[in-house]
Each structure stands twice: as structure tokens, then as C-alpha cells.
Amino acid sequence: MKRIITIIMAMAFMVAAVSASAAEIKIGVLSDLSGPTSAVGQPYAEGIKACAQYLNDNGGINGKQVKLLQVDYAYNVQQALAAYKRFKSQGMVALQGWGTADTEALTKFVARDKMPTWSASYSAHLTDPKVAPYNFFVAADYTTQMRAGLKYLKENWKEARAPKLAFIYPDHPYGLSPIKGGKEYAAEIGFEIVGEENVSLKAMDATTQLLALQKKAPDFCWIGGTTPSTSVILKDAKKLSMTTTFLINLWGNDESLIDLAGEAAKGQVGLQAAAVYNDDVPGAALIRERTGGQAVMSHYLRGFASTLVMAEAIKIADAAGNLNGKGIKEAAETLRDFDPMGLTPAISYFADDHRPNMSVNIYTIEGGKLVKTASPTLERKAEWLGH
Amino acid sequence: MSNGKCGLFFETYRGEAQLLPSAFQKWSLGLFMVVLLGAPYMLDSYMVSVLNLVNIAVIGAVSLNLLTGYCGQISLGHGAFIGVGAYATAKFTALGVPFLLALPLGGAVAAVVGMIFGIPSLRLKGIYLAIATLAAQLILEYVFLHWESATGGSSGVAVDSPEIFGFIFDTDEKMFYLTLAVAVVAVLAVSNMVRTRQGRAFVAIRDYYLSAEIVGVNLFTTKLQAFGVSSFLAGVSGGLWAYYTMYITPEQFNIGLSISYLAMIIIGGMGSVQGAIFGAIFITLLPEFLNITASALGDIFPDVSTYLLAMKEGIFGLVLVLFLIFEPEGLAHRWRLVKAYWKLYPFAH
């Protein structure tokens, strides 16, 4: 009898929790909390949650509370698909997606269902509304990031000869995505491309690849991995006394690299699409205040920024009485130089161009901290859209 | 049974060879199919989408069970064969081939690829064959990623919704009938195949290859046929997956997919068509069940859900291990025991 009463009580609680959902804006959140990308997926998801909480603490979006529907899909496409359908049947109006695998598998679904999606997969082809009309993100795409990084290196190059450039990346959709466009741009602005090597995301050693590159003596080398593989490359390069400066892609360059690579990370050039915890911007100050000085990773700040930008689009759509997928998408496309409290470079989306901006932040590791050194911006060239 | 006999007694060979020997089975299956056909009208689109995933998984699991469960040829490359079917179907669709032709053609391409990688099966057995098929998985993943003109490389390819004589299957509900129809055909095909001379040859090879050879089974061609038929169905399952998701990338057909199909047939029961179906349902529904539990608990205890979410993959692994220890013959075996219990009730023996 006791057990039956407990079960009935529990069910009553659930029903109560479900029914208390009037005047809410439901946002689906696909997170990887336990899968292969969970090391960065967790702080990103925390950032999204923190932003929703911040919005709710400040009156929600036009007085409506934000309710997150979160699922840990463990970077499994099938689970992402099912979760997306579940969110949809629960009344989600927009989605915060996560990685390459799920974002791309959902591209056509979100287009058909008119479900605006902000993801953390920055593949260039997702910025072309002809291919992915309902996809958005808040960072420059991978190729644009690499171009901006190369532009920065070239501008700071003092010698008369052309700088030599090499590429290291995993043979993986994420690693391959910016290589073609990046190489073309490097050749165009006067780099001499001397070599390329593959280092797996799970690599424990990169000596063979680095020895091959060392003979070609590159001045700069792109690393398109994640922090574990990046730290392996940096440490092995230090062991081989290489003098190359490494340009590290956004997922290979965060606070954990400082611990993983130690001294080897010093002086390297890393790309970031968002601010870091100790930056002097209002958004970072707000996050410092709300986390009580408990430092969080840059991915957290990017998740926060992504939700903030999405909330802005929802706010505009709601004010115009169009709180639906199409309305939110069109509202997002009216954003011009929207500043998410300095957390990312200013954001603009256009109906025929979903590149949020053409800027990337450059951070170097000094004294065990990420220090911002520059924020190069490229011209918004039409021929780069989607490549 | 309805006739009160303690078992089924056949007086003819034809009677014994029936797929559904008793009237009760025919009626209950009929009823089950009617309920299934009505499902889209009763369930919301999330549930229907899960059923779609189940249907697609059933085709893949049944095909793998034919190869591994019935013929004893372990395959760790099944995910890649599914991928070959998916890419081939996508390509045929892009070339304007209608759905009814593109799907079997996709399967045919997968069959050819599967048979090529099945050639080592004459020389290799057990764990060695598993490694050879693992090589197939790695090679095919490489091809998906680098053959840009055919597969779109890292960007993947978009696929249009299937269309039969002008009718477009563009919702979960419509897709459900399509995937269900293909799944039923696949299950029937495999159930029938294992009852033929060919199917018995598969089992003979699995049980002891020398005896099989002595009674006149050609090991090489029979094994290749098993690879061919299995990969064909895997390709069809991949084709449906491509049509359903409308966007395929190399990451969808990684080693994880191969392993989850192996898990399906182990949990369901090796060498049983019914087992493959049970396994496909179980593996597809388990993460959904865990997710729903986690989010339901999350409404009441916010902190619990965080830990539960993080433990999800662990729970998944634990369930697999517990199955291997306590139910090594799979769900199909348990199902037989349950049936026997009710048949003999109230007498235990």
C-alpha cells in the first residue's frame, strides 16, 4: 500500500511539473554530457543553462520564462534525432544544437519543420541559407577562423621572404572542413605551403608526423585538432626543439590546454570565437559575478553567448507577434551588429548569408592564462560563403 | 495453446514447416499488425519517429543476424555496409532514379561491397574474421570521407524524401508506413530464407564447417551468399535511414553503429529472427527510456538529473554486461520461457 501511495505521489508531482508550463518559451538543448565530446560539451551546456537562468532572473523574454528541454544525446545521431522529435512534440520553438554529427543530420529536418537552430558546429556550409536555411551559430565558421588567423600571422610577419606554412589535422570531417579554403587563402596572401600531416584526435604520439614536417622547417603550422591531440603535438614539437609557431583551432585551444601541454603551449597562437573568463567585457563580468569567481571555460561563455543571441531573435519575433520558427529565423536575419555583451564579436545575420561575423579573437598563453592579443576581421566576401 | 495440448503436434512435414503453426499465433500477429498500422493515429510524432528508428534498426539487425547468428560469420563492418547502402541510395536518388528502384539498387551496391569484403571469410574464422570486417569498416569510413564527388566528403549529402508515383513521404507518419512495409518484407524474407536449403547450409557452416563441407555444402559460395544477402538488407536499411534523415555524413556510419547492431543481436538472441527484432527494439528504446527517466526526474530533483545524464552511457554498458551474464541467449530465449510458462500454467513442469 505504501509503495502504491509513493508511486501515485510521484506521478502527481510529474503531472504538476508538466502542467505548470503556461507562458513559457521552450528551447530544446542537445548536449553531449557523456559522449566523446563531453569534455567541452559539458561547459557549453552549462553556459546555455546559465544564460536561460539569467534571462529568467531578469524577467524572461518579454515577460515569458525560458524553459529548457535538455537531452544528453552522447554524440549519437540516432538519439539526437529522437530527442529533436521529442522536443518538437513538447512545443519547442528553437533549438540549441551541439556537434557536427547531429547538426548536419538535422539540417533538412530543421529546414522542413522551420525550427531555428543555433549549434556549436561551425562548418562553413551551414552558413549558406540555400543549404541550411534554419541553421545559425555565433562564431565565425572554421574556414573563416583559419583565414583570419592566417591574416593575423601574415600581417605580423617581418621578414622579406614568404612565410612557410604547414597543416596538421585529423582525417575527420571536423578536421578536414577548413583545409581546402584555408589553403587557397594562404596561397593567395603569400604563404608558402610546405607540407601537411594527419594526427588523429586520439593520438598519443605525433613524433613521426612532426619529424617529417621538421625537415621542411615551417614557420607556422595550423593544428586542427581538439585539446588532447593538440597537447600531444605541442609537447612532441617541444621535444624535437621545433621553432615553429602553431596556430591552433578553436576546439584545440582552451583552458585545459594550459594544463595538458604546460610549457609547450607558451607563445602559441590560438583562435577563440568567444571571450574567456577573465576578459574585460560586460558579459564576462556578469558571468564572473554569477559564478562567484569559480572560473569556467571559454566554451561556457560561448554557450552563454549563443543563447543570448537566440534570445534576442526570439524577443524581436515575439514583440512582432511572430513567436514561431519562421518568425524567429526572420527576426535573426534582421540582427545588425548585435553585441552579446562583448562575449563574441558583433553579430549580424542576413537572409542570404548566415555568417555571424568575419572576426576571430586571437589568444596566446602567457603565465598560465589565455591573453587576448588581437581580433582580426576579414572582408565579407560573397565567394567565401559556404566554403 | 488454445487446443489444450501440451505442445504442437504435426502430422505432415508441411505443417511443421509453417511460419506460424497455430491459429493463436496467426490471430495475435494479425492483431499486432492492426495495432501497429493504427499506431500513427494514436501516438504523437515523437513516438512515431522512434518507431521509424526501430523499423530501420530491425532491418539492419535481422540482416546481421542472418550473417552472424545463422551463418556464424562475425561482422564488425555492418555499420559501414549500411553506410554504403545509404550513400548509394542517395547517389541514385540524386541521379533521378525513383525510390522503388533506388532502394534495391542501393542494397545491391552494398551487397557487392559486402561480398568483396566477405572473400576473406573462406580463410578466416571467428575473431580473425571480426578483425577483417573491422578493416572493411575502417576502409569504407575512409572512402566515405575522401571520395568527395560521390559522398560529399566531410560536408555530407542531402537526400530528398522518397516519392512513389507522386506520393511524397515527408512526415514521420508517412515514413512509418514505408519503413514498416520494408521491415516486414525484410523479416519475412529472412524468416523464409533460413527455412530453405540455403538457410540450412548457413546453419550447417555455423555449427561445424567440416561436417557441412562433407555433406556437400560449398563453403566459399555459401559464405559469400550469406555476406551478399546480409549486406543487401543492410544496404536497404541504410537507404531508408538516408531517406529518413535526409542528410548523411560519414560520422553516422562509424564503428559505434557496427557495435550497436552487434549488441542488438546479442541482446535479442543470436540465430533468431525474432531475437533480432527484440534486440533492435531494446537498443533503440533504451536510450529514449533513460532520457525520459532523466528528464522526468529532473523536474522533481534538478541535481539528480545531472548525475543521471552523466551516468547514462555507463548504465547502457551495465545493461549489456548484465544481459551477457544473466541472459546469454537473449530476449528471444526469455520470450520462449514466458510462453512455455503460460502454456504449462499452473504446472511448472
Side-chain angles (χ1 to χ4, degrees):
Chain A
M1 196 60 200
K2 219 175 186 179
R3 189 189 285 171
I4 293 170
I5 292 172
T6 321
I7 291 170
I8 291 171
M9 291 284 281
M11 284 175 81
F13 267 122
M14 276 187 217
V15 171
V18 171
S19 58
S21 57
E24 275 180 343
I25 293 176
K26 289 182 180 165
I27 310 291
V29 185
L30 286 175
S31 313
D32 180 9
L33 305 178
S34 57
T37 60
S38 55
V40 285
Q42 275 176 3
Y44 191 85
E46 286 300 316
I48 294 172
K49 267 188 177 167
C51 184
Q53 192 59 47
Y54 162 75
L55 291 167
N56 285 342
D57 292 349
N58 289 280
I61 300 174
N62 294 345
K64 294 179 178 130
Q65 292 281 295
V66 177
K67 172 147 171 75
L68 297 183
L69 310 165
Q70 190 190 24
V71 153
D72 169 23
Y73 77 105
Y75 211 75
N76 176 317
V77 175
Q78 193 170 318
Q79 289 188 38
L81 214 68
Y84 168 77
K85 300 277 175 176
R86 186 147 64 90
F87 293 158
K88 221 180 101 210
S89 70
Q90 290 172 337
M92 123 175 105
V93 296
L95 177 72
Q96 279 285 339
W98 171 240
T100 313
D102 52 296
T103 308
E104 292 186 348
L106 285 172
T107 308
K108 293 256 290 190
F109 271 113
V110 298
R112 195 175 69 188
D113 300 337
K114 299 191 172 31
M115 185 60 66
T117 300
W118 270 260
S119 70
S121 163
Y122 310 123
S123 293
H125 67 273
L126 292 173
T127 57
D128 184 354
K130 283 200 283 297
V131 181
Y134 276 80
N135 284 78
F136 297 90
F137 43 68
V138 295
D141 60 76
Y142 294 132
T143 328
T144 302
Q145 286 183 33
M146 193 208 271
R147 287 193 191 108
L150 290 173
K151 182 183 174 215
Y152 165 81
L153 293 178
K154 186 71 193 351
E155 278 169 0
N156 289 285
W157 180 247
K158 300 283 185 290
E159 292 181 42
R161 67 181 171 85
K164 291 182 188 171
L165 175 69
F167 295 87
I168 301 181
Y169 55 90
D171 196 15
H172 183 274
Y174 151 70
L176 277 170
S177 142
I179 298 299
K180 194 165 164 268
K183 266 189 197 163
E184 282 168 10
Y185 181 73
E188 191 186 315
I189 61 170
F191 277 94
E192 185 194 342
I193 298 167
V194 294
E196 60 186 297
E197 291 290 334
N198 286 145
V199 172
S200 148
L201 291 176
K202 295 168 193 152
M204 304 295 281
D205 182 86
T207 324
T208 332
Q209 292 93 330
L210 287 170
L211 277 172
L213 283 185
Q214 197 176 24
K215 288 186 196 126
K216 294 164 186 162
D219 301 295
F220 301 107
C221 181
W222 161 261
I223 303 180
T226 52
T227 43
S229 67
T230 303
S231 74
V232 167
I233 296 166
L234 293 181
K235 281 193 278 191
D236 284 350
K238 190 173 165 65
K239 219 165 24 184
L240 297 171
S241 311
M242 283 176 81
T243 51
T244 306
T245 301
F246 290 91
L247 175 65
I248 308 163
N249 197 15
L250 137 129
W251 294 111
N253 174 52
D254 63 27
E255 291 78 0
S256 67
L257 187 69
I258 302 169
D259 303 326
L260 287 170
E263 274 294 292
K266 215 170 131 187
Q268 310 299 358
V269 181
L271 304 180
Q272 282 291 350
V276 302
Y277 192 69
N278 285 315
D279 272 352
D280 187 20
V281 294
L286 175 79
I287 288 172
R288 282 197 295 274
E289 185 196 314
R290 292 183 69 90
T291 52
Q294 201 82 40
V296 289
M297 291 172 87
S298 61
H299 310 294
Y300 181 107
L301 279 76
R302 200 146 22 82
F304 198 98
S306 175
T307 315
L308 215 52
V309 173
M310 180 168 91
E312 183 65 20
I314 295 175
K315 197 161 128 191
I316 298 170
D318 184 47
N322 288 326
L323 187 56
N324 53 41
K326 193 160 178 279
I328 295 169
K329 172 200 182 250
E330 282 166 2
E333 285 165 352
T334 63
L335 291 179
R336 294 290 173 272
D337 287 328
F338 171 69
D339 175 22
M341 297 194 252
L343 287 171
T344 69
I347 297 212
S348 315
Y349 300 112
F350 303 87
D352 55 354
D353 181 353
H354 284 185
R355 285 176 290 186
N357 53 52
M358 300 298 285
S359 304
V360 60
N361 294 341
I362 299 219
Y363 283 80
T364 51
I365 294 175
E366 280 164 30
K369 271 187 186 154
L370 288 167
V371 181
K372 187 170 168 182
T373 51
S375 191
T377 303
L378 293 168
E379 194 189 329
R380 194 181 274 267
K381 282 192 186 172
E383 68 261 30
W384 284 343
L385 178 65
H387 299 285
Chain B
M1 302 313 312
S2 54
N3 57 9
K5 284 185 210 160
C6 181
L8 284 164
F9 301 98
F10 301 105
E11 280 142 22
T12 59
Y13 284 120
R14 181 180 283 273
E16 194 181 5
Q18 280 183 80
L19 210 51
L20 301 167
S22 78
F24 178 74
Q25 280 176 312
K26 284 179 190 133
W27 275 104
S28 42
L29 187 71
L31 199 66
F32 176 68
M33 287 310 292
V34 169
V35 171
L36 212 52
L37 287 174
Y41 296 98
M42 293 178 275
L43 303 172
D44 66 8
S45 83
Y46 158 63
M47 304 268 197
V48 178
S49 79
V50 173
L51 287 180
N52 275 326
L53 296 176
V54 168
N55 287 341
I56 295 170
V58 162
I59 304 169
V62 166
S63 76
L64 181 62
N65 217 352
L66 181 73
L67 182 66
T68 305
Y70 282 100
C71 196
Q73 310 297 304
I74 296 179
S75 171
L76 273 174
H78 217 65
F81 299 147
I82 289 172
V84 171
Y87 277 110
T89 312
K91 191 74 191 168
F92 285 124
T93 311
L95 291 172
V97 179
F99 167 78
L100 285 177
L101 212 58
L103 192 66
L105 277 176
V109 174
V112 171
V113 174
M115 279 159 82
I116 292 171
F117 285 106
I119 291 173
S121 65
L122 184 66
R123 302 265 173 183
L124 303 172
K125 277 188 274 297
I127 192 77
Y128 301 98
L129 183 62
I131 298 298
T133 49
L134 178 66
Q137 170 77 40
L138 299 178
I139 292 167
L140 289 171
E141 265 185 55
Y142 182 85
V143 172
F144 296 156
L145 188 54
H146 289 273
W147 191 10
E148 276 195 33
S149 57
T151 65
S154 58
S155 303
V157 276
V159 190
D160 291 328
S161 287
E163 185 183 330
I164 299 177
F165 303 124
F167 185 82
I168 302 170
F169 294 84
D170 56 355
T171 63
D172 279 316
E173 286 76 14
K174 290 176 190 165
M175 272 308 278
F176 171 75
Y177 290 107
L178 190 66
T179 53
L180 181 68
V182 182
V184 167
V185 171
V187 168
L188 269 180
V190 173
S191 306
N192 281 321
M193 184 160 194
V194 297
R195 299 185 306 153
T196 59
R197 181 186 165 84
Q198 200 62 42
R200 285 196 295 275
F202 288 167
V203 176
I205 291 178
R206 175 194 70 189
D207 287 348
Y208 194 44
Y209 69 99
L210 265 183
S211 314
E213 200 168 19
I214 289 164
V215 296
V217 174
N218 183 332
L219 290 188
F220 188 55
T221 51
T222 310
K223 282 179 180 177
L224 268 197
Q225 277 161 2
F227 266 98
V229 177
S230 169
S231 307
F232 175 82
L233 286 176
V236 167
S237 145
L240 276 181
W241 168 258
Y243 278 121
Y244 181 57
T245 58
M246 299 180 286
Y247 205 100
I248 48 173
T249 58
E251 279 186 291
Q252 297 170 11
F253 311 105
N254 57 14
I255 179 77
L257 188 67
S258 293
I259 291 172
S260 82
Y261 273 101
L262 264 185
M264 282 178 202
I265 63 166
I266 290 171
I267 284 190
M270 298 271 249
S272 151
V273 172
Q274 206 176 29
I277 299 171
F278 286 153
I281 295 171
F282 187 87
I283 295 282
T284 313
L285 294 190
L286 183 64
E288 296 312 308
F289 174 75
L290 291 174
N291 273 329
I292 290 168
T293 317
S295 60
L297 279 176
D299 284 339
I300 310 165
F301 316 106
D303 287 340
V304 172
S305 79
T306 316
Y307 295 116
L308 202 69
L309 281 173
M311 270 160 45
K312 218 181 65 178
E313 288 296 286
I315 294 173
F316 195 78
L318 185 71
V319 169
L320 281 183
V321 172
L322 291 180
F323 252 99
L324 290 176
I325 295 173
F326 296 107
E327 199 69 78
E329 289 180 62
L331 289 167
H333 176 65
R334 178 58 44 189
W335 174 242
R336 280 193 288 273
L337 293 182
V338 169
K339 278 201 301 190
Y341 175 83
W342 287 108
K343 204 184 280 177
L344 300 171
Y345 188 81
F347 308 107
H349 299 287

